[in-house]
């Protein structure tokens, strides 16, 4: 994978980090390139601008709850946003993120990259529905990127949200449709923030979600 220094510079202008965190992120990018051919961790079309498409896109999620120490990332895939958030937490005493991923080869990469970068990460090789309720009362923020439609995310996260966990869910141009679909079944307290990496995307910040009584 060719290194595009302009992509890296642009990403870090939008989402600045410390020198130490930048070095850890560069290590993650290097390992992603090394593993990608064999493991197909992310879409190959996104590798040319990996810093914008994956690193900055993940950093902005952490930036919405910078004081939170206990995180949960569902469907972590190749590590975005989970590993990036974990790298940010490496500089915070008590910071930790749990990554839930059912694909064994992706779990192997997540564990390897966490060890290499020193990120405070625990990888759970499991299906989301089998483990998500184990984190009720134990995490400050739950994230899920490019994972599932909002009604399904709310179904998985309902107990977390009920007990005060903040949901941060990056969404694309169909967010309004997803919100409309969800409102038929859920009463949602949420706001949106525009993405700094994609003009058509927003991040949904869900503070509470309750199933409607007639459902």
């Amino acid at each position: 994978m060719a290194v595009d220094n302009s992509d890296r510079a642009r990403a870090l202008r939008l989402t600045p980090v410390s020198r130490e965190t930048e070095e850890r992120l560069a290590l993650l990018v290097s390992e992603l390139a090394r593993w990608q051919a064999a493991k197909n961790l992310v879409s190959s079309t996104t590798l040319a601008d990996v810093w914008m498409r994956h690193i900055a896109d993940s950093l902005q999620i952490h930036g919405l709850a910078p004081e939170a120490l206990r995180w949960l990332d569902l469907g972590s895939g190749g590590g975005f946003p989970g590993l990036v958030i974990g790298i940010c937490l490496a500089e915070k005493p008590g910071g930790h993120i749990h990554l839930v991923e059912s694909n064994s080869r992706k779990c192997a990469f997540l564990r390897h990259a966490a060890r290499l970068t020193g990120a405070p990460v625990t990888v759970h090789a499991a299906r989301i529905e089998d483990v998500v309720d184990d984190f009720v009362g134990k995490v400050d923020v739950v994230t899920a990127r490019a994972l599932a439609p909002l009604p399904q995310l709310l179904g998985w996260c309902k107990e977390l949200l009920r007990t005060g966990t903040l949901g941060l869910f990056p969404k694309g141009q169909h967010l309004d449709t997803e919100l409309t679909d969800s409102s038929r079944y859920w009463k949602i307290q949420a706001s949106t923030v525009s993405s700094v990496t994609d003009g058509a995307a927003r991040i949904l910040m869900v503070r509470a979600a309750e199933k409607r009584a007639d459902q």
Side-chain angles (χ1 to χ4, degrees):
M1 181 179 74
V3 176
D4 185 346
N5 288 326
S6 64
D7 174 53
R8 176 172 173 170
R10 182 180 174 217
L12 294 175
R13 279 197 303 272
L14 290 172
T15 52
V17 295
S18 70
R19 171 62 63 182
E20 183 178 3
T21 293
E22 181 180 350
E23 290 172 357
R24 293 176 196 255
L25 291 170
L27 192 55
L28 170 59
V29 169
S30 175
E31 287 303 294
L32 178 69
R34 198 167 69 84
W35 281 58
Q36 172 68 12
K39 303 297 184 182
N40 194 30
L41 299 167
V42 298
S43 170
S44 295
T45 61
T46 65
L47 290 179
D49 50 359
V50 64
W51 281 87
M52 279 294 293
R53 290 288 294 274
H54 294 301
I55 301 298
D57 201 48
S58 300
L59 286 172
Q60 68 175 334
I61 297 172
H62 175 261
L64 294 175
E67 303 306 315
L69 294 178
R70 304 174 301 165
W71 291 69
L72 171 65
D73 183 43
L74 303 178
S76 297
F80 307 104
L83 277 177
V84 173
I85 292 170
I87 286 171
C88 292
L89 294 174
E91 296 188 10
K92 298 183 178 182
H96 196 91
I97 186 167
H98 296 271
L99 311 184
V100 178
E101 172 55 51
S102 61
N103 184 299
S104 60
R105 73 179 186 275
K106 291 180 179 177
C107 286
F109 172 74
L110 294 172
R111 292 189 178 105
H112 166 77
R115 284 194 300 269
L116 208 61
T117 59
V121 165
T122 301
V123 178
H124 302 266
R127 291 166 58 87
I128 292 167
E129 56 268 35
D130 293 337
V131 298
V132 65
D133 286 348
D134 295 343
F135 298 99
V136 173
K138 299 178 181 177
V139 293
D140 306 311
V141 183
V142 59
T143 64
R145 178 179 182 250
L147 178 63
L150 183 58
Q152 188 171 357
L153 288 178
L154 295 175
W156 281 330
C157 298
K158 61 182 183 296
E159 291 303 312
L160 292 169
L161 299 169
R162 187 179 63 81
T163 52
T165 298
L166 172 66
L168 295 180
F169 305 130
K171 288 291 180 179
Q173 59 186 350
H174 302 299
L175 174 57
D176 290 337
T177 300
E178 290 189 43
L179 284 168
T180 299
D181 291 343
S182 300
S183 67
R184 295 162 54 196
Y185 308 100
W186 297 89
K187 290 185 285 186
I188 307 168
Q189 294 180 29
S191 57
T192 61
V193 177
S194 296
S195 169
V196 301
T197 62
D198 181 349
R202 287 171 287 170
I203 301 167
L204 185 67
M205 305 178 67
V206 182
R207 292 175 177 81
E210 181 182 348
K211 204 75 180 282
R212 291 192 178 277
D214 54 351
Q215 297 298 321

